[in-house]
Amino acid sequence: MAVELNELRDQIDEVDKQMVALLARRLALVEKVGEVKSKHGLPIYAPDREAAMLASRREEAEKQGVPAQLIEDILRRTMRESYSSEKDSGFKCLNPELRSVVIVGGKGQLGGLFKRMFTLSGYQVKVLGSKDWDRADEILKGAGLVVVSVPIHLTEGVIRKLSDLPEDCILCDLTSIKSKPLQTMMETHAGPVVGLHPMFGPDVPSLAKQVIVHCDGRGSEHYQWLLQQFVIWGASVCAMDAKEHDKGMTLIQALRHFTSFAYGMHLSKENPDLDKLLQLSSPIYRLELAMIGRLFAQDPNLYGDIILSSEENIDMIKRFHARFGEAIQILEQHNKAEFVESFNKVSEWFGDYSAQFMLESQKLLKQANDSIHRG
Ligand code: NAD
């Protein structure tokens, strides 16, 4: 049996080696694609090409008895690698005439990422850090674009210091909240103004498929090239009213981060042995723990600022707290019938989304399970 098994394993090793060689060939081709795209200013993420390519590979795979989802998984993972390597060829500069780009807070996490992206696109980039204000006039002199990327609670104060920019300079910010910074930029600068919110952190491998929200302020015709530059970097841009954005962020960021914070606080006080908990964990609990635990690997000031950025956030969190109380009452009364009734009402509210979310999460859980090693 051992001989038979070893022979088969040798053959599998041989196929795996061929797969590695094929992947190396594919990545080398992708590198060339990156160079061509960079030269011609084409976006690194081409959704139509990606969808068409996946559809035909799925069809070809099925014809050969390979599950369509298997080839899709392999290709999607390979494409992620491609997107992050394509950025190494740099990007076409859409506004070569632009005077310097100044990133206020450019040594920080997100400012640093944008500094890299602008530099990779051939712009002349300067940084104005917290200790550089005595040289601010020199750094800002003749700026064509100023990007503010400082901690939220300092943003408005920093924007107010930018009242002497050249009139045609574009002023924008990357703050996670939009109404107040946008209003302050409009009050401070008479030229083109746009509020931006990159919906990602500094740890993304590339900007492919990432979203950048823009809240138009003034003179949008002067910064269309900038939005287009983001598209070349692979991002999707999404226009939104600043108030509407902040309302959405109350749920998407403030409430979510707060519930993670409260859950983390609860866990730390209950003080279970995390190693044991992980041994017992289903993939879904591990993912949940990862989503909560990752918060505590980041900057508490950023999350504190996001949660505390508006009274609406605190009101929303208080309403959530009250609903927790309502749900606990059902438990205290041991009222299973009411539990089921409330459950069904929520399920009805989710509608078709609950089935869709079930499918999506199943895919994620399978991937989470794949990466587990039980030695
Ligand atoms: P960070 O703390 O890493 O960077 C902020 C930078 O600003 C630091 O280098 C700091 O020295 C500098 N700074 C502080 N005061 C300054 C001043 N007076 N003048 C000039 N520079 C000053 O923070 P970050 O995570 O990069 O966040 C920056 C902005 O990006 C915030 O508005 C945040 O809401 C937004 N944002 C962050 C993320 C993220 O995941 N990190 C995602 C989306 C948006």
Side-chain angles (χ1 to χ4, degrees), residues 79 104 140 258 309 337 348 360 372:
M79 282 187 290
V104 185
L140 290 167
F258 179 78
S309 65
E348 219 170 274
E360 270 177 37
I372 289 175

Side-chain angles (χ1 to χ4, degrees), residues 104-105 107-111 128-130 133 149-152 154-155 158 161 174-176 197-198 200-202 299 302:
V104 185
K107 287 184 199 140
Q109 297 203 62
L110 203 66
L128 202 166
S130 53
W133 283 97
S149 182
V150 299
I152 299 178
L154 301 176
T155 299
V158 165
K161 290 193 198 175
L174 305 179
T175 323
S176 308
H197 183 193
F200 47 86
D299 181 2
L302 174 64

Side-chain angles (χ1 to χ4, degrees), residues 79-97:
M79 282 187 290
R80 187 202 323 153
E81 213 60 41
S82 310
Y83 292 136
S84 59
S85 77
E86 273 184 42
K87 78 173 186 306
D88 299 336
S89 348
F91 299 96
K92 183 174 172 145
C93 177
L94 283 193
N95 191 355
E97 305 300 315

Side-chain angles (χ1 to χ4, degrees), residues 5-270:
L5 204 54
N6 279 342
E7 270 177 14
L8 288 170
R9 281 181 174 157
D10 286 347
Q11 286 180 43
I12 286 178
D13 286 348
E14 192 45 47
V15 172
D16 286 353
K17 274 186 203 151
Q18 287 176 26
M19 278 168 65
V20 172
L22 284 173
L23 283 172
R25 222 177 107 195
R26 195 183 194 283
L27 287 175
L29 285 169
V30 163
E31 211 176 302
K32 287 195 183 138
V33 169
E35 282 162 19
V36 175
K37 281 186 181 172
S38 162
K39 199 162 87 193
H40 298 283
L42 297 170
I44 65 168
Y45 170 47
D48 294 344
R49 151 84 186 145
E50 187 178 299
M53 189 265 272
L54 283 174
S56 64
R57 288 312 108 82
R58 283 179 69 100
E59 207 184 305
E60 287 154 18
E62 266 173 350
K63 277 188 199 144
Q64 298 192 46
V66 174
Q69 194 55 48
L70 175 59
I71 191 69
E72 180 166 341
D73 283 355
I74 293 172
L75 286 174
R76 281 196 188 280
R77 178 63 190 85
T78 314
M79 282 187 290
R80 187 202 323 153
E81 213 60 41
S82 310
Y83 292 136
S84 59
S85 77
E86 273 184 42
K87 78 173 186 306
D88 299 336
S89 348
F91 299 96
K92 183 174 172 145
C93 177
L94 283 193
N95 191 355
E97 305 300 315
L98 185 76
R99 300 184 306 267
S100 56
V101 176
V102 178
I103 307 197
V104 185
K107 287 184 199 140
Q109 297 203 62
L110 203 66
L113 172 66
F114 276 75
K115 176 176 180 262
R116 251 191 334 278
M117 298 305 286
F118 279 114
T119 308
L120 279 171
S121 311
Y123 295 96
Q124 188 210 346
V125 187
K126 297 179 186 171
V127 166
L128 202 166
S130 53
K131 297 189 183 108
D132 297 329
W133 283 97
D134 51 345
R135 292 193 300 120
D137 286 349
E138 180 197 326
I139 296 171
L140 290 167
K141 193 167 175 232
L145 168 67
V146 172
V147 184
V148 178
S149 182
V150 299
I152 299 178
H153 70 284
L154 301 176
T155 299
E156 286 166 62
V158 165
I159 292 172
R160 287 201 196 284
K161 290 193 198 175
L162 299 169
S163 54
D164 276 335
L165 299 179
E167 182 138 358
D168 62 345
C169 174
I170 301 162
L171 176 60
C172 67
D173 75 311
L174 305 179
T175 323
S176 308
I177 53 164
K178 292 276 53 88
S179 298
K180 287 186 200 160
L182 183 61
Q183 193 188 336
T184 315
M185 288 195 292
M186 295 291 280
E187 287 164 10
T188 310
H189 179 56
V193 166
V194 58
L196 301 168
H197 183 193
M199 302 301 303
F200 47 86
D203 55 348
V204 288
S206 84
L207 262 54
K209 306 186 188 185
Q210 303 292 347
V211 173
I212 300 181
V213 170
H214 62 100
C215 305
D216 293 327
R218 180 189 303 121
S220 72
E221 67 280 14
H222 297 290
Y223 57 75
Q224 286 310 308
W225 67 269
L226 178 63
L227 304 179
Q228 214 41 49
Q229 188 74 60
F230 298 155
V231 173
I232 287 188
W233 293 348
S236 302
V237 290
C238 164
M240 197 169 284
D241 171 71
K243 287 208 173 82
E244 198 187 330
H245 164 277
D246 289 355
K247 215 167 139 195
M249 286 307 126
T250 297
L251 277 169
I252 293 172
Q253 294 204 317
L255 180 66
R256 194 170 55 83
H257 297 323
F258 179 78
T259 52
S260 295
F261 164 74
Y263 191 72
M265 203 163 93
H266 175 67
L267 265 189
S268 73
K269 299 224 158 126
E270 294 289 317

